[in-house]
Amino acid sequence: MSRPLVERVRARLALEPGIPTSAGVAAAVREEAGGLLGDDDVLREVRWAVDELAGAGPLESLLRLPGVTDVLVNGPDEVWIDRGAGLELTAVRFPGDDAVRRLAVRLAAAAGRRLDDAAPWVDVGLPDGTRLHAVLPPVSAGATCLSLRVLRRCVLDVADLAAGGMFPGRAEELLRAVIDRRLAFLVTGGTGSGKTTLLSALLGLVDTDERLVLCEDAAELTPVHPHVVRLLTRPPNVEGAGLVSLRDLVRQALRMRPDRLVVGEVRGAEVADLLAALNTGHDGGCGTLHANRPAEVPARLEALGGAAGLDRAAIHSQVAAALALVVHVRRTPGGRCVSEIGVVRRSGAFVAIEPGWRADAGPVPAADRLADLLGEGR
């Protein structure tokens, strides 16, 4: 797109109220181009202008690449992507840090958030579901940093994951039994390990006459199921009002007659409400949790419970009564896979997670307990 034309389009859109839409950008390009361009040229210019003025600019082409889960900007000359095989440096470049900052500010504004020197970072879901995190200098030393987490556009079921190697050994058989027995569980793992993908697929195994109520920060869970109710958090507006937290959603979900209560990611004080719900007749509840190993889950829940005002003994007591299993996934050079199914075991006043099944055939001291939970015990 020629510089004079893009500046004329930008000036026209600046006079319009609100955030530019794709349709508005396209109309402005057609009007400003007049009859000087042919149909193919107009289409090309419209596509470029929509990306530049209403999309993610130079990053839009990366977001469209098949398999891309993350686009990371560390500076104007350093743009990375992740499409499942580790980070890759791309050839995309910005003219300078001012261009990166303008893009970050515009994307934040599209989601109704403020990003400037007084509010130098933002973490918000964009209208298309992409998750934006941006940090401005001097908090990000030297350059504006952008992180875009791409909402998965395809729906994967258990068969798809099995074909991709997610379930080594008996993993699929055991997890199907977990769903059938209505056991409460958490899917754990590191960032990008496939926690949400696995949980979404497992929810597709739930009986079709059950009602799923999902509580999420962003609409990432996509279970293939006929009865799904989705609740989403909302950040505060520029005046600091209107916040809807995940804890608020869990409380509302309990009043919506859920057969399965699902928390997309347990990351704060909502853990208290989730555990309380699982202790009051809501069998089969589940969610995801960041943890490097299943054995670290009690410590993670302790920390989150502290944010809700629960002491150590109280959170362990709640966990022991509410949760049955931990399903751990990890990312390997060959892809993502289930590596362990841990059993929640109470020892005195505290709980521990003991392996009941492991993909590496390591020791499984809780194998008999897992078999009992899944109805395989003799």
Side-chain angles (χ1 to χ4, degrees):
M1 193 174 195
S2 67
R3 178 56 54 183
L5 178 55
V6 73
E7 292 302 331
R8 293 200 304 273
V9 172
R10 194 188 302 274
R12 175 185 287 268
L13 294 174
L15 300 176
E16 301 291 333
I19 303 299
T21 63
S22 298
V25 173
V29 171
R30 285 193 298 268
E31 292 178 15
E32 291 296 333
L36 300 179
L37 300 176
D39 290 343
D40 291 343
D41 292 331
V42 169
L43 287 174
R44 184 178 61 254
E45 301 299 339
V46 165
R47 188 178 298 112
W48 192 94
V50 167
D51 290 349
E52 180 66 21
L53 303 176
L59 305 181
E60 192 67 35
S61 61
L62 301 178
L63 295 173
R64 293 173 183 159
L65 289 175
V68 167
T69 59
D70 296 88
V71 176
L72 310 172
V73 181
N74 297 345
D77 298 322
E78 194 176 335
V79 180
W80 301 77
I81 62 171
D82 185 352
R83 41 187 167 184
L87 293 176
E88 307 170 42
L89 184 63
T90 73
V92 172
R93 299 291 184 269
F94 287 83
D97 192 63
D98 287 346
V100 181
R101 180 178 179 129
R102 283 196 302 270
L103 175 60
V105 170
R106 178 167 59 76
L107 291 176
R113 297 294 298 275
R114 171 183 175 185
L115 182 63
D116 53 29
D117 290 340
W121 59 75
V122 68
D123 182 20
V124 68
L126 300 180
D128 67 354
T130 302
R131 193 78 188 177
L132 165 70
H133 185 274
V135 186
L136 301 180
V139 178
S140 58
T144 300
C145 291
L146 275 179
S147 302
L148 292 168
R149 168 62 64 87
V150 181
L151 179 67
R152 183 176 289 276
R153 295 180 173 86
C154 60
V155 178
L156 300 178
D157 59 18
V158 167
D160 295 323
L161 297 186
M166 176 67 86
F167 306 113
R170 297 185 63 210
E172 180 180 350
E173 172 193 348
L174 296 174
L175 293 178
R176 286 180 178 274
V178 168
I179 298 298
D180 290 342
R181 301 286 290 185
R182 297 184 58 84
L183 299 175
F185 65 95
L186 290 177
V187 179
T188 64
T191 300
S193 58
K195 300 185 298 297
T196 300
T197 301
L198 175 59
L199 179 59
S200 185
L202 292 178
L203 291 174
L205 301 177
V206 173
D207 286 343
T208 57
D209 60 353
E210 294 188 36
R211 173 179 170 90
L212 308 180
V213 181
L214 316 182
C215 303
E216 299 181 87
D217 282 323
E220 296 182 320
L221 291 170
T222 55
V224 181
H225 194 277
H227 198 157
V228 176
V229 178
R230 190 186 306 278
L231 303 178
L232 299 176
T233 61
R234 184 178 68 188
N237 59 21
V238 292
E239 286 82 26
L243 171 68
V244 177
S245 69
L246 202 55
R247 190 170 194 181
D248 295 328
L249 297 186
V250 172
R251 290 175 174 175
Q252 297 309 310
L254 295 177
R255 296 167 173 82
M256 298 175 69
R257 199 251 177 229
D259 288 307
R260 306 257 185 168
L261 175 61
V262 183
V263 177
E265 182 178 339
V266 181
R267 62 171 66 185
E270 68 277 357
V271 68
D273 299 284
L274 175 62
L275 293 175
L278 299 181
N279 275 314
T280 54
H282 292 84
D283 297 332
C286 50
T288 72
L289 177 76
H290 277 278
N292 293 326
R293 298 184 301 120
E296 297 174 3
V297 169
R300 286 280 293 134
L301 293 175
E302 277 184 34
L304 298 180
L310 297 178
D311 60 26
R312 187 183 185 196
I315 193 69
H316 278 260
S317 180
Q318 290 273 52
V319 171
L323 288 177
L325 301 172
V326 169
V327 180
H328 192 71
V329 293
R330 65 188 184 93
R331 190 172 183 167
T332 69
R336 301 169 175 88
C337 68
V338 177
S339 64
E340 183 176 326
I341 299 177
V343 178
V344 178
R345 179 185 62 82
R346 185 160 191 163
S347 177
F350 304 109
V351 299
I353 310 298
E354 291 187 341
W357 173 90
R358 289 174 56 169
D360 62 3
V364 283
D368 290 343
R369 175 60 179 156
L370 177 62
D372 290 340
L373 289 171
L374 300 183
E376 298 176 347
R378 298 179 180 179

